[in-house]
């Protein structure tokens, strides 16, 4: 893909519409004027995977919050949800290819291949970024992606 100026909020809105969840509310807290230079397809892939997970591993009437911020050297995107959470013992493995948490495999919450976050990780690594996960079972999950500008 080609490098261009990306309006992050627009991509978030497009993905919210595409997911069109009836059971989870997604709040787009990214400012309209928030822009980054990058490959739009990569940004779309990242946002789509993080939002899909935040909805899929959520509870009835759950919520998702998306925000972004920027300083001189880096920008970050945060997707936080009120979902089922990820046990600490599994948190380090979720970016592996084909890894699916115990909960997703056993209870078959929703179908999946376990590739979504591996793809996100690949894109982020390629751009010298990093991914941080904070999660508590029964409370929710927060994933922050940080990329150099
Ligand atoms: P796919 O994305 O390929 O459809 P998947 O969602 O299972 O399948 P990933 O997106 O890579 O795969 O996520 C890996 C695992 O991490 C999931 O199976 C789930 O156990 C856990 N996980 C990811 N995001 C969340 C989240 N927001 N809340 C709770 N668990 C999550
Ligand atoms: Mg997924």
């Amino acid at each position: 893909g080609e490098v261009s100026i990306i309006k992050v909020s627009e991509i978030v809105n497009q993905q919210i519409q595409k997911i069109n969840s009836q059971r989870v509310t997604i709040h787009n807290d990214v400012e309209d004027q928030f822009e980054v230079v990058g490959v739009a397809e990569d940004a779309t892939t990242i946002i789509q995977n993080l939002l899909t997970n935040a909805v899929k591993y959520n509870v009835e009437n759950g919520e998702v919050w998306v925000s972004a911020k920027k300083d001189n050297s880096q920008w970050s995107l945060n997707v936080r949800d009120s979902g089922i959470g990820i046990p600490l013992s599994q948190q380090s493995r979720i970016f592996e290819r084909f890894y699916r948490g115990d909960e997703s495999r056993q209870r078959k919450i929703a179908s999946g291949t376990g590739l979504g976050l591996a793809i996100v990780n690949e894109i982020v690594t390629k751009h010298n970024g990093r991914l941080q996960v904070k999660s508590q079972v029964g409370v929710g999950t927060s994933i922050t992606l940080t990329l150099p500008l």
Side-chain angles (χ1 to χ4, degrees), residues 49 53-54 56-57 81 84-86 94 99-101 104 111-118 141:
N49 275 303
N53 284 346
K56 187 157 80 167
Y57 304 111
D81 66 62
I84 63 171
I86 307 165
I94 60 171
Y99 181 80
R100 301 201 75 208
S104 5
S111 58
T113 54
L115 276 176
L117 288 179
T141 298

Side-chain angles (χ1 to χ4, degrees), residues 46 49-50 53 57 86 91 93-97 99 114-124 131 133 143:
I46 288 170
N49 275 303
L50 295 179
N53 284 346
Y57 304 111
I86 307 165
Q91 287 176 20
R93 301 202 59 195
I94 60 171
F95 301 110
E96 292 173 16
R97 307 188 96 212
Y99 181 80
L115 276 176
L117 288 179
I119 292 165
V120 169
N121 190 39
E122 213 167 272
I123 295 170
V124 171
L131 277 160
V133 52
I143 299 210

Side-chain angles (χ1 to χ4, degrees), residues 58-105:
N58 218 315
V59 294
E60 197 69 32
N61 298 314
E63 291 186 272
V64 177
W65 299 267
V66 188
S67 62
K69 59 183 179 185
K70 202 193 284 198
D71 65 25
N72 294 325
S73 60
Q74 61 184 31
W75 74 280
S76 63
L77 179 81
N78 176 261
V79 176
R80 185 166 66 87
D81 66 62
S82 63
I84 63 171
I86 307 165
L88 190 58
S89 60
Q90 295 174 28
Q91 287 176 20
S92 61
R93 301 202 59 195
I94 60 171
F95 301 110
E96 292 173 16
R97 307 188 96 212
F98 305 114
Y99 181 80
R100 301 201 75 208
D102 290 342
E103 200 76 359
S104 5
R105 277 183 292 112

